[in-house]
Amino acid sequence: MDRFVWTNGLLEPHEDLKAQQHGIKIYDGEDKTPFEYGTLILTSHRLIWRDHKRSDCVLAIPLSQIVYLEETESGLGKSAKIVVHLNPAPPNRPPGPVASSQNSYIRCGILCHHIVLWVW
């Protein structure tokens, strides 16, 4: 979670919307976070998470911070998840929701049954 920064969620110049998925919960590794129900947005430059209830709660991570993705299937009482493996947090990054994290990955829990497949 220490790779995320606060943002207004607006697309930057030359940034394009690629895909979005509603009903996403963010985990810091295996740990729960207060980011429980939002929309995950993939752009040409960033991965953005926007809270469904609080319009001022928008997080972003540059795609350059992402090493690779894995998908875990849903099971009995468990939602499907996308595991996002990350590079180390850069020095002097803008403020974000977490100052530091022991985890090198986040998980995006898919709370909705309708899943949009992303091709990068």
PDB file of all heavy atoms in Angstrom, residues 1-14:
ATOM      1  N   MET A   1       0.812  -1.208   0.000  1.00  0.00           N
ATOM      2  CA  MET A   1       0.000   0.000   0.000  1.00  0.00           C
ATOM      3  C   MET A   1       0.853   1.269   0.000  1.00  0.00           C
ATOM      4  O   MET A   1       0.332   2.324  -0.279  1.00  0.00           O
ATOM      5  CB  MET A   1      -0.914   0.017   1.215  1.00  0.00           C
ATOM      6  CG  MET A   1      -2.058  -0.971   1.171  1.00  0.00           C
ATOM      7  SD  MET A   1      -3.296  -0.687  -0.094  1.00  0.00           S
ATOM      8  CE  MET A   1      -3.882   0.939   0.258  1.00  0.00           C
ATOM      9  N   ASP A   2       2.143   1.151   0.295  1.00  0.00           N
ATOM     10  CA  ASP A   2       2.969   2.353   0.328  1.00  0.00           C
ATOM     11  C   ASP A   2       3.403   2.809  -1.068  1.00  0.00           C
ATOM     12  O   ASP A   2       4.132   3.769  -1.199  1.00  0.00           O
ATOM     13  CB  ASP A   2       4.176   2.167   1.242  1.00  0.00           C
ATOM     14  CG  ASP A   2       5.073   1.019   0.840  1.00  0.00           C
ATOM     15  OD1 ASP A   2       4.713   0.249  -0.071  1.00  0.00           O
ATOM     16  OD2 ASP A   2       6.131   0.874   1.465  1.00  0.00           O
ATOM     17  N   ARG A   3       2.908   2.142  -2.099  1.00  0.00           N
ATOM     18  CA  ARG A   3       3.181   2.598  -3.463  1.00  0.00           C
ATOM     19  C   ARG A   3       2.056   3.499  -3.971  1.00  0.00           C
ATOM     20  O   ARG A   3       2.228   4.226  -4.929  1.00  0.00           O
ATOM     21  CB  ARG A   3       3.323   1.411  -4.415  1.00  0.00           C
ATOM     22  CG  ARG A   3       4.689   0.753  -4.393  1.00  0.00           C
ATOM     23  CD  ARG A   3       4.953   0.064  -3.106  1.00  0.00           C
ATOM     24  NE  ARG A   3       5.927  -1.002  -3.220  1.00  0.00           N
ATOM     25  CZ  ARG A   3       6.078  -1.931  -2.304  1.00  0.00           C
ATOM     26  NH1 ARG A   3       5.327  -1.937  -1.221  1.00  0.00           N
ATOM     27  NH2 ARG A   3       6.978  -2.859  -2.437  1.00  0.00           N
ATOM     28  N   PHE A   4       0.889   3.422  -3.339  1.00  0.00           N
ATOM     29  CA  PHE A   4      -0.244   4.263  -3.728  1.00  0.00           C
ATOM     30  C   PHE A   4      -0.024   5.702  -3.281  1.00  0.00           C
ATOM     31  O   PHE A   4       0.566   5.944  -2.239  1.00  0.00           O
ATOM     32  CB  PHE A   4      -1.539   3.769  -3.077  1.00  0.00           C
ATOM     33  CG  PHE A   4      -2.197   2.636  -3.805  1.00  0.00           C
ATOM     34  CD1 PHE A   4      -2.091   1.345  -3.330  1.00  0.00           C
ATOM     35  CD2 PHE A   4      -2.942   2.864  -4.950  1.00  0.00           C
ATOM     36  CE1 PHE A   4      -2.716   0.293  -3.976  1.00  0.00           C
ATOM     37  CE2 PHE A   4      -3.568   1.822  -5.609  1.00  0.00           C
ATOM     38  CZ  PHE A   4      -3.457   0.535  -5.118  1.00  0.00           C
ATOM     39  N   VAL A   5      -0.536   6.630  -4.081  1.00  0.00           N
ATOM     40  CA  VAL A   5      -0.535   8.052  -3.724  1.00  0.00           C
ATOM     41  C   VAL A   5      -1.965   8.557  -3.854  1.00  0.00           C
ATOM     42  O   VAL A   5      -2.783   7.992  -4.588  1.00  0.00           O
ATOM     43  CB  VAL A   5       0.415   8.882  -4.620  1.00  0.00           C
ATOM     44  CG1 VAL A   5       1.861   8.428  -4.438  1.00  0.00           C
ATOM     45  CG2 VAL A   5       0.009   8.819  -6.079  1.00  0.00           C
ATOM     46  N   TRP A   6      -2.275   9.627  -3.130  1.00  0.00           N
ATOM     47  CA  TRP A   6      -3.580  10.263  -3.257  1.00  0.00           C
ATOM     48  C   TRP A   6      -3.639  10.980  -4.596  1.00  0.00           C
ATOM     49  O   TRP A   6      -2.640  11.539  -5.048  1.00  0.00           O
ATOM     50  CB  TRP A   6      -3.815  11.261  -2.129  1.00  0.00           C
ATOM     51  CG  TRP A   6      -3.885  10.647  -0.774  1.00  0.00           C
ATOM     52  CD1 TRP A   6      -2.989  10.804   0.240  1.00  0.00           C
ATOM     53  CD2 TRP A   6      -4.902   9.770  -0.264  1.00  0.00           C
ATOM     54  NE1 TRP A   6      -3.385  10.085   1.338  1.00  0.00           N
ATOM     55  CE2 TRP A   6      -4.560   9.438   1.060  1.00  0.00           C
ATOM     56  CE3 TRP A   6      -6.063   9.222  -0.803  1.00  0.00           C
ATOM     57  CZ2 TRP A   6      -5.335   8.596   1.847  1.00  0.00           C
ATOM     58  CZ3 TRP A   6      -6.837   8.385  -0.015  1.00  0.00           C
ATOM     59  CH2 TRP A   6      -6.474   8.084   1.295  1.00  0.00           C
ATOM     60  N   THR A   7      -4.801  10.969  -5.220  1.00  0.00           N
ATOM     61  CA  THR A   7      -4.986  11.651  -6.498  1.00  0.00           C
ATOM     62  C   THR A   7      -6.419  12.160  -6.592  1.00  0.00           C
ATOM     63  O   THR A   7      -7.273  11.748  -5.809  1.00  0.00           O
ATOM     64  CB  THR A   7      -4.673  10.711  -7.685  1.00  0.00           C
ATOM     65  OG1 THR A   7      -4.810  11.421  -8.914  1.00  0.00           O
ATOM     66  CG2 THR A   7      -5.599   9.514  -7.707  1.00  0.00           C
ATOM     67  N   ASN A   8      -6.672  13.017  -7.553  1.00  0.00           N
ATOM     68  CA  ASN A   8      -8.042  13.468  -7.784  1.00  0.00           C
ATOM     69  C   ASN A   8      -8.781  12.531  -8.737  1.00  0.00           C
ATOM     70  O   ASN A   8      -9.979  12.653  -8.930  1.00  0.00           O
ATOM     71  CB  ASN A   8      -8.073  14.903  -8.304  1.00  0.00           C
ATOM     72  CG  ASN A   8      -7.352  15.057  -9.628  1.00  0.00           C
ATOM     73  OD1 ASN A   8      -7.036  14.097 -10.310  1.00  0.00           O
ATOM     74  ND2 ASN A   8      -7.072  16.297  -9.983  1.00  0.00           N
ATOM     75  N   GLY A   9      -8.068  11.613  -9.362  1.00  0.00           N
ATOM     76  CA  GLY A   9      -8.680  10.624 -10.242  1.00  0.00           C
ATOM     77  C   GLY A   9      -8.882  11.075 -11.668  1.00  0.00           C
ATOM     78  O   GLY A   9      -9.323  10.303 -12.510  1.00  0.00           O
ATOM     79  N   LEU A  10      -8.573  12.329 -11.959  1.00  0.00           N
ATOM     80  CA  LEU A  10      -8.709  12.820 -13.326  1.00  0.00           C
ATOM     81  C   LEU A  10      -7.580  12.265 -14.189  1.00  0.00           C
ATOM     82  O   LEU A  10      -6.455  12.102 -13.722  1.00  0.00           O
ATOM     83  CB  LEU A  10      -8.682  14.342 -13.360  1.00  0.00           C
ATOM     84  CG  LEU A  10      -9.800  15.053 -12.589  1.00  0.00           C
ATOM     85  CD1 LEU A  10      -9.584  16.557 -12.619  1.00  0.00           C
ATOM     86  CD2 LEU A  10     -11.156  14.680 -13.160  1.00  0.00           C
ATOM     87  N   LEU A  11      -7.888  11.974 -15.446  1.00  0.00           N
ATOM     88  CA  LEU A  11      -6.857  11.489 -16.350  1.00  0.00           C
ATOM     89  C   LEU A  11      -5.876  12.614 -16.661  1.00  0.00           C
ATOM     90  O   LEU A  11      -6.264  13.776 -16.821  1.00  0.00           O
ATOM     91  CB  LEU A  11      -7.477  10.968 -17.645  1.00  0.00           C
ATOM     92  CG  LEU A  11      -8.357   9.733 -17.523  1.00  0.00           C
ATOM     93  CD1 LEU A  11      -8.875   9.319 -18.897  1.00  0.00           C
ATOM     94  CD2 LEU A  11      -7.639   8.581 -16.854  1.00  0.00           C
ATOM     95  N   GLU A  12      -4.616  12.246 -16.741  1.00  0.00           N
ATOM     96  CA  GLU A  12      -3.575  13.210 -17.078  1.00  0.00           C
ATOM     97  C   GLU A  12      -3.508  13.369 -18.596  1.00  0.00           C
ATOM     98  O   GLU A  12      -4.064  12.545 -19.332  1.00  0.00           O
ATOM     99  CB  GLU A  12      -2.237  12.710 -16.527  1.00  0.00           C
ATOM    100  CG  GLU A  12      -2.240  12.620 -15.010  1.00  0.00           C
ATOM    101  CD  GLU A  12      -0.981  11.995 -14.444  1.00  0.00           C
ATOM    102  OE1 GLU A  12      -0.117  11.534 -15.220  1.00  0.00           O
ATOM    103  OE2 GLU A  12      -0.864  11.971 -13.213  1.00  0.00           O
ATOM    104  N   PRO A  13      -2.833  14.428 -19.086  1.00  0.00           N
ATOM    105  CA  PRO A  13      -2.697  14.570 -20.542  1.00  0.00           C
ATOM    106  C   PRO A  13      -2.074  13.309 -21.146  1.00  0.00           C
ATOM    107  O   PRO A  13      -1.147  12.727 -20.583  1.00  0.00           O
ATOM    108  CB  PRO A  13      -1.759  15.770 -20.702  1.00  0.00           C
ATOM    109  CG  PRO A  13      -1.944  16.553 -19.436  1.00  0.00           C
ATOM    110  CD  PRO A  13      -2.205  15.528 -18.359  1.00  0.00           C
ATOM    111  N   HIS A  14      -2.598  12.856 -22.253  1.00  0.00           N
ATOM    112  CA  HIS A  14      -2.119  11.682 -22.990  1.00  0.00           C
ATOM    113  C   HIS A  14      -2.347  10.362 -22.243  1.00  0.00           C
ATOM    114  O   HIS A  14      -1.752   9.346 -22.600  1.00  0.00           O
ATOM    115  CB  HIS A  14      -0.643  11.826 -23.373  1.00  0.00           C
ATOM    116  CG  HIS A  14      -0.331  13.112 -24.069  1.00  0.00           C
ATOM    117  ND1 HIS A  14      -0.794  13.417 -25.335  1.00  0.00           N
ATOM    118  CD2 HIS A  14       0.355  14.201 -23.656  1.00  0.00           C
ATOM    119  CE1 HIS A  14      -0.383  14.618 -25.683  1.00  0.00           C
ATOM    120  NE2 HIS A  14       0.316  15.127 -24.685  1.00  0.00           N
TER     121      HIS A  14
END
